[in-house]
């Protein structure tokens, strides 16, 4: 008898040995030739793929990792009877077939998961367990159904983008053909004969363009030199070729694609400047193919911003976050704009204004400096950088300045994802004396497979007022994918209060008052504890500014942060994150543990703010004070609102063996939200600061609270309305601690430290809830 041929055993992802005796009996192997063995091997491979998975499509689109996960998890349930075959009959001469069948989900299960997917395409473990319990499925089945659904949606989105790009490609090809035909029939304006352009070689064409560009550069440099040495500007003959004239013309003259007809040469810089000045101010080494397009886009965006800032109804209506944009009217007024709305992105637009105590020129300087901008708006901007300066402006001012920037915008809670944007920022002095600064997205220039925030023309219009004041009109217009926002913060984000113009203007107004307070010289010294020294005030305010910026940047769901959720710690999940501090003079060296949680309170934000900032009620929630009395040693008022101030507190310990502790605290509030941020400080270091010393070397680990409204007035997101509380009048409170758990940066974090911080924040939350709710509902 011929011995059976053996196939080498191949181990699959589920531990099944393909081609081994566990899959085929010896008697069957004797009867099968190599062709039958191959068919059996392929059938086993196919049986490993769960129902509903398009393996070919996933592999083509780079989704082999999804298939691998599905092999391991078996997202569909197995057939308990173990039968196979269409008619359910068994051959008595054969052993029972061990092939596994998979049941598809029922129509009800699919409908429920489809509805949940629309609300939350990325459910967490807790949501998946709840959904699986409701539908009678395993959590892994739910997990991989959502994976497959996200892959399917991504593929559909890619097909739509491919179709759109194909249509644009066809349009560009047709335009190219028209241009070629026009060039081939061009005639010379001097003699009327055929132009030499059609016969010009590519190299000659390129050299003429370069020649024209260099002559423009020489003209610009000669003009600058003439201003300093008093010699007349050298003039150079202009090329007679029509190609040179086309090269010298700025693309700013042709902005029709953005619906900005009528942009003349003076539109970019205002009266008295040519259209090519912005391109001429660009340094030679940075001039490439993208610069003209960015300039053209910036000019069109400026035109749109000016119209949106000056027009009222019917373009704008009333809203919770300021004036709300009428989308239909916007589409009629700006038919070109930046093109159609992006798939999967929600439009969000608002406008607000205020008169602030700062000069027009100072505001422009802050807006055009990324570092100063991030410092003033530290509660909104977590990261800001300038990638390229395309123009520094003309005549020593920011008129015509153009920069390429990227920023990350935040809400002080780990439950709200940040918004990242890559954009051009353009500044212009208008003929009526106003200044405008506009942002517009440049996402098409940066490879970004998933676009989650697109910045349409946004910015502010600044009008100079008497006595050092300025009137600011702010327009915020974006398209965002905010489906990852936690349900607790969804009403606030959807209303525009979280990222809208009202928050920008409120923050700017408060920060202008703060800067004016730092520069004030006529300070009454009658009040006890008021710091009258100008140097001491500046140093203390600078230290408090760094403390607040560190707090806001350490509590958000930034892409640079890796939060770990501690589930089961109570009604609210506590999120923790560790950071190593090495060679940072502003932080103590070692391992720092950040812990944060957000929750809802049925109490208005102002009442929560007043309770937390009051030193007399601090012992009711501050566990670290050990029940000691808190006394205010010094304070600096930095705004019209009594709650806007920087204080130096002393905790008088109830235990005589313990030394007294100093706490630096800043409390600030505006229409968009409130903050109470504090940090323990060294007594010696604070004495140096109060005498005007450098505050940058004072080590701080800030903790505190961010208090936001729970949504627009009249719409409570929880359905819980306590006595005396109007709908939508609750608060969203974020509590965050930064604690040094080990002074050695290379040490490992212990579970005991995490448990201690977790207990600390949970106990603080419970004390605040008990105290605030009892205060809001007196018996």
């Amino acid at each position: 008898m011929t011995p059976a041929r053996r196939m080498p055993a191949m181990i699959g992802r589920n531990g099944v040995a393909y081609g081994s005796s566990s899959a085929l009996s010896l008697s069957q192997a004797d009867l099968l030739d190599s062709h039958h063995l191959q068919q059996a091997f392929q059938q086993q491979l196919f049986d490993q793929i769960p129902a509903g998975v398009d393996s070919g499509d996933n592999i083509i689109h780079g989704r082999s990792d999804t298939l691998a996960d599905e092999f391991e998890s078996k997202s569909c349930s197995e057939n308990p009877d173990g039968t196979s075959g269409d008619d359910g009959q068994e051959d008595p001469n054969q052993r029972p077939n061990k092939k596994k069948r998979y049941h598809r989900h029922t129509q009800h299960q699919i409908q429920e998961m489809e509805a949940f997917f629309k609300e939350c395409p990325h459910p967490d473990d807790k949501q998946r367990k709840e959904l699986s319990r409701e539908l009678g499925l395993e959590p892994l089945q739910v997990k991989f159904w959502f994976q497959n659904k996200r892959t399917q949606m991504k593929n559909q989105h890619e097909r739509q983008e491919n179709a759109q790009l194909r249509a644009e490609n066809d349009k560009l090809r047709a335009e190219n053909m028209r241009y070629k035909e026009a060039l081939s029939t061009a005639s010379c304006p001097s003699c009327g004969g055929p132009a030499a352009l059609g016969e010009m070689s590519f190299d000659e064409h390129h050299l003429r363009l370069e020649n024209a560009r260099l002559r423009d550069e020489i003209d610009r440099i000669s003009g600058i030199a003439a201003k300093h040495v008093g010699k007349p500007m050298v003039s150079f003959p202009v090329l007679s070729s029509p190609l040179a004239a086309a090269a010298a013309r700025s693309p700013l003259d042709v902005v029709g694609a953005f619906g900005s007809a009528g942009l003349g040469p003076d539109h970019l810089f205002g009266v008295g400047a040519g259209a090519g000045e912005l391109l001429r101010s660009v340094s030679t080494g940075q001039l490439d193919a993208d610069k003209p397009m960015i300039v053209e886009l910036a000019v069109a965006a400026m035109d749109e911003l000016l119209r949106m800032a000056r027009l009222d109804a019917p373009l704008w209506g009333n809203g919770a976050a300021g004036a709300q944009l009428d989308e239909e009217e916007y589409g009629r007024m700006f038919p070109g704009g930046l093109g159609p709305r992006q798939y999967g992105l929600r439009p969000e637009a608002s406008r607000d204004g205020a008169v602030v105590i700062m000069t027009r020129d100072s505001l422009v300087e802050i807006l055009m400096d990324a570092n100063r901008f991030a410092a003033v708006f530290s509660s909104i901007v977590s990261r800001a950088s300038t990638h390229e300066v395309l123009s520094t402006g003309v005549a020593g001012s920011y008129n015509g300045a153009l920069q390429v920037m990227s920023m990350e915008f935040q809400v002080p809670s780990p439950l709200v994802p940040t918004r990242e944007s890559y954009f051009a920022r353009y500044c212009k002095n208008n003929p009526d004396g106003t200044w405008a600064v506009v942002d517009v997205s440049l996402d098409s220039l940066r490879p970004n497979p998933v676009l989650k925030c697109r910045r349409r023309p946004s910015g502010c219009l600044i009008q100079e007022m008497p006595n050092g004041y300025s009137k600011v009109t702010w327009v915020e217009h974006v398209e965002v994918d905010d489906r990852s926002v936690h349900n607790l913060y969804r009403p606030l984000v959807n209303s525009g209060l979280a990222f809208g113009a009202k928050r920008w203007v409120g923050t700017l107004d408060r920060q202008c008052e703060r800067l004016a307070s730092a520069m004030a010289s006529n300070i009454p010294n009658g009040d006890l504890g008021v710091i009258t020294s100008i140097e001491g005030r500046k140093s203390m305010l600078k230290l408090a500014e760094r403390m607040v910026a560190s707090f806001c940047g350490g509590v958000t769901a930034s892409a640079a942060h890796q939060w770990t959720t501690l589930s089961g710690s109570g009604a609210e999940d506590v999120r923790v994150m560790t950071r190593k501090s090495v060679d940072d003079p502003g932080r103590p060296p070692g391992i720092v543990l950040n812990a944060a949680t957000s929750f809802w309170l049925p109490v208005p934000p102002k009442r929560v703010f007043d309770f937390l900032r009051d030193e007399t009620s601090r012992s009711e929630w501050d566990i670290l004070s050990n029940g000691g009395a808190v006394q205010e040693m010094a304070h600096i008022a930095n705004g019209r609102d009594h709650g806007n101030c920087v204080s130096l507190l002393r905790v008088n310990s109830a235990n005589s063996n313990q030394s007294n502790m100093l706490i630096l605290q800043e409390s600030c509030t505006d229409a968009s939200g409130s903050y109470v941020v504090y940090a323990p400080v060294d007594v010696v270091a604070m004495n140096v600061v109060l005498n005007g010393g450098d505050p940058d070397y004072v080590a701080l680990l800030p903790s505190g609270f961010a208090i936001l409204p729970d949504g627009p007035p009249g719409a409570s997101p929880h359905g819980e309305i306590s006595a005396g509380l109007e709908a939508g009048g609750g608060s969203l409170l974020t509590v965050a601690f930064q604690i040094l758990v080990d002074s050695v940066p290379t040490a490992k974090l212990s579970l005991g430290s995490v448990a201690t911080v977790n207990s600390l924040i949970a106990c603080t939350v419970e004390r605040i809830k008990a105290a605030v709710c009892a205060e809001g509902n007196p018996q």
Side-chain angles (χ1 to χ4, degrees):
M1 180 175 179
T2 305
R5 289 171 290 183
R6 294 181 178 271
M7 289 183 64
M10 299 174 62
I11 305 303
R13 297 298 296 266
N14 289 341
V16 179
Y18 303 140
S20 67
S21 59
S22 63
L24 292 174
S25 65
L26 287 175
S27 60
Q28 289 174 316
D30 290 335
L31 297 176
L32 294 176
D33 55 13
S34 60
H35 178 67
H36 292 152
L37 281 171
Q38 184 178 6
Q39 285 184 334
F41 174 71
Q42 292 176 348
Q43 180 63 32
Q44 285 182 335
L45 283 178
F46 180 78
D47 291 341
Q48 302 304 314
I49 303 177
V53 177
D54 187 355
S55 60
D57 189 52
N58 282 329
I59 292 174
I60 290 173
H61 290 85
R63 297 296 298 177
S64 58
D65 56 339
T66 304
L67 284 177
D69 293 339
E70 290 166 347
F71 287 156
E72 293 176 355
S73 63
K74 299 181 182 178
S75 64
C76 298
S77 59
E78 297 181 5
N79 188 359
D81 57 10
T83 60
S84 63
D86 297 335
D87 55 0
Q89 299 295 327
E90 285 187 316
D91 188 347
N93 297 327
Q94 294 185 355
R95 294 185 181 183
N97 195 342
K98 297 296 183 182
K99 185 175 70 173
K100 300 172 183 177
R101 292 179 57 194
Y102 299 94
H103 291 302
R104 293 185 179 274
H105 301 309
T106 65
Q107 192 66 25
H108 171 69
Q109 292 170 340
I110 293 176
Q111 289 176 352
E112 290 295 321
M113 287 190 288
E114 290 274 7
F116 195 91
F117 182 84
K118 293 179 181 178
E119 296 294 329
C120 179
H122 292 272
D124 54 23
D125 291 341
K126 188 184 299 182
Q127 292 171 319
R128 285 198 299 268
K129 288 179 182 177
E130 174 128 14
L131 190 59
S132 64
R133 187 165 55 252
E134 293 177 358
L135 301 179
L137 297 173
E138 292 295 328
L140 284 178
Q141 290 179 284
V142 175
K143 174 182 178 180
F144 292 107
W145 186 92
F146 274 84
Q147 280 188 355
N148 292 337
K149 186 65 177 178
R150 289 194 295 268
T151 303
Q152 180 186 7
M153 296 300 294
K154 178 183 177 183
N155 293 338
Q156 291 177 359
H157 184 38
E158 288 176 350
R159 284 193 290 269
Q160 291 178 356
E161 286 185 343
N162 290 339
Q164 183 179 359
L165 291 174
R166 194 176 295 110
E168 292 179 358
N169 191 23
D170 294 340
K171 181 180 178 181
L172 292 174
R173 188 180 292 109
E175 289 183 358
N176 191 21
M177 293 299 297
R178 287 199 302 271
Y179 291 150
K180 286 184 177 180
E181 292 176 2
L183 290 175
S184 62
T185 58
S187 60
C188 177
S190 302
C191 63
L197 181 62
E199 303 170 2
M200 188 181 301
S201 67
F202 176 81
D203 291 338
E204 185 180 0
H205 170 56
H206 180 73
L207 289 174
R208 286 178 179 268
L209 285 176
E210 184 69 10
N211 191 13
R213 187 189 64 77
L214 291 174
R215 289 183 181 275
D216 284 342
E217 185 69 11
I218 291 172
D219 289 342
R220 185 179 68 84
I221 296 175
S222 299
I224 295 174
K227 295 179 182 178
H228 295 282
V229 300
K231 296 180 180 180
M233 187 176 67
V234 181
S235 60
F236 293 88
V238 181
L239 292 178
S240 59
S241 168
L243 218 146
R249 279 170 49 202
S250 165
L252 303 173
D253 299 329
V254 228
V255 200
F258 296 91
S260 301
L263 295 180
D266 297 333
H267 187 85
L268 179 64
F269 287 88
V271 179
E277 286 296 324
L278 181 56
L279 280 182
R280 290 171 187 166
S281 62
V282 178
S283 62
T284 306
Q286 296 173 331
L287 198 62
D288 57 32
D290 290 335
K291 302 301 187 297
M293 189 202 71
I294 295 175
V295 173
E296 184 176 334
L297 186 61
V299 173
M302 177 63 73
D303 180 69
E304 180 173 319
L305 174 72
L306 292 176
R307 295 173 64 188
M308 293 184 69
R310 291 165 175 165
L311 294 176
D312 292 319
L315 183 63
W316 295 98
N318 294 327
Q324 296 293 309
L325 184 67
D326 187 312
E327 289 292 332
E328 294 184 2
E329 190 65 27
Y330 173 78
R332 284 192 293 268
M333 286 190 175
F334 305 97
L338 291 180
R341 297 290 190 190
Q342 290 290 315
Y343 171 78
L345 300 184
R346 179 182 65 85
E348 183 180 294
S350 59
R351 186 183 71 178
D352 200 16
V355 176
V356 300
I357 181 170
M358 183 174 286
T359 63
R360 177 196 61 192
D361 294 340
S362 298
L363 283 173
V364 172
E365 289 177 4
I366 290 174
L367 294 172
M368 298 306 295
D369 187 326
N371 294 329
R372 295 182 64 187
F373 184 82
V376 171
F377 295 99
S378 60
S379 61
I380 305 176
V381 180
S382 57
R383 288 184 296 169
S385 60
T386 301
H387 296 277
E388 211 167 353
V389 178
L390 304 184
S391 172
T392 57
V394 293
S397 71
Y398 282 105
N399 182 26
L402 180 63
Q403 303 175 7
V404 177
M405 295 180 167
S406 66
M407 291 188 186
E408 186 179 41
F409 308 110
Q410 65 185 1
V411 168
S413 172
L415 302 182
V416 182
T418 56
R419 297 178 178 180
E420 296 184 39
S421 187
Y422 179 74
F423 56 88
R425 175 164 289 185
Y426 170 46
C427 180
K428 179 186 175 184
N429 183 10
N430 299 300
D432 60 358
T434 60
W435 284 73
V437 178
V438 65
D439 298 342
V440 60
S441 274
L442 300 176
D443 299 288
S444 59
L445 303 183
R446 184 179 63 170
N448 186 10
V450 181
L451 180 62
K452 292 192 173 183
C453 181
R454 186 184 187 214
R455 199 160 175 78
R456 284 183 173 266
S458 304
C460 63
L461 183 65
I462 306 170
Q463 179 182 352
E464 190 172 21
M465 303 288 286
N467 301 322
Y469 284 80
S470 299
K471 181 181 179 182
V472 178
T473 303
W474 199 289
V475 175
E476 196 67 17
H477 191 188
V478 297
E479 296 172 7
V480 293
D481 178 6
D482 54 11
R483 289 174 290 184
S484 300
V485 176
H486 193 277
N487 290 334
L488 193 67
Y489 280 82
R490 193 172 294 277
L492 179 72
V493 174
N494 290 344
S495 67
L497 290 171
F499 294 95
K502 189 172 184 178
R503 187 180 177 206
W504 286 97
V505 171
T507 303
L508 177 62
D509 188 20
R510 172 170 53 82
Q511 288 289 67
C512 288
E513 290 183 356
R514 191 179 193 279
L515 292 173
S517 173
M519 303 301 295
S521 57
N522 53 344
I523 303 153
N525 54 7
D527 295 338
L528 184 63
V530 174
I531 301 175
T532 57
S533 167
I534 297 179
E535 291 78 12
R537 291 171 63 88
K538 287 183 179 180
S539 295
M540 190 167 173
L541 286 174
K542 186 178 180 182
L543 180 62
E545 180 183 46
R546 175 162 64 87
M547 177 181 68
V548 173
S550 176
F551 170 81
C552 293
V555 76
T556 60
S558 171
H561 297 166
Q562 295 181 354
W563 291 98
T564 301
T565 303
L566 303 180
S567 300
S569 59
E572 297 81 21
D573 289 336
V574 176
R575 288 164 170 78
V576 296
M577 171 180 62
T578 59
R579 290 189 291 183
K580 293 183 179 180
S581 175
V582 182
D583 297 331
D584 186 355
R587 291 177 181 274
I591 298 179
V592 178
L593 181 64
N594 284 28
T597 187
S598 299
F599 57 96
W600 181 75
L601 284 172
V603 180
K606 187 178 186 312
R607 187 180 300 167
V608 178
F609 173 69
D610 290 339
F611 169 77
L612 293 174
R613 74 177 181 84
D614 188 0
E615 69 274 8
T616 60
S617 60
R618 188 181 187 94
S619 59
E620 297 183 39
W621 58 264
D622 189 0
I623 301 173
L624 300 180
S625 65
N626 295 322
V630 180
Q631 178 184 1
E632 184 180 66
M633 302 297 297
H635 75 272
I636 302 174
N638 55 12
R640 290 168 294 182
D641 194 293
H642 183 66
N644 290 334
C645 69
V646 176
S647 304
L648 186 62
L649 309 176
R650 183 176 66 186
V651 180
N652 299 315
S653 176
N655 188 350
S656 59
N657 295 327
Q658 294 181 356
S659 60
N660 295 334
M661 178 174 56
L662 287 183
I663 295 177
L664 177 66
Q665 173 178 294
E666 175 163 358
S667 58
C668 51
T669 182
D670 56 56
S672 63
S674 306
Y675 298 86
V676 178
V677 184
Y678 62 92
V681 289
D682 181 67
V683 176
V684 177
M686 280 309 301
N687 283 330
V688 173
V689 171
L690 291 176
N691 290 323
D694 188 0
D696 292 339
Y697 294 95
V698 179
L700 291 176
L701 282 180
S703 302
F705 310 94
I707 309 142
L708 301 177
D710 61 358
S716 177
H718 304 277
E720 304 177 37
I721 302 178
S722 63
L725 174 65
E726 298 179 356
S731 305
L732 297 174
L733 180 62
T734 296
V735 182
F737 291 128
Q738 294 188 41
I739 298 177
L740 184 69
V741 295
D742 201 311
S743 59
V744 180
T746 57
K748 292 184 178 180
L749 181 67
S750 65
L751 293 178
S753 301
V754 177
T756 301
V757 174
N758 186 25
S759 300
L760 173 65
I761 198 170
C763 186
T764 303
V765 168
E766 292 304 319
R767 287 192 175 193
I768 292 174
K769 285 183 176 180
V772 171
C773 294
E775 181 182 316
N777 298 287
Q779 299 296 330

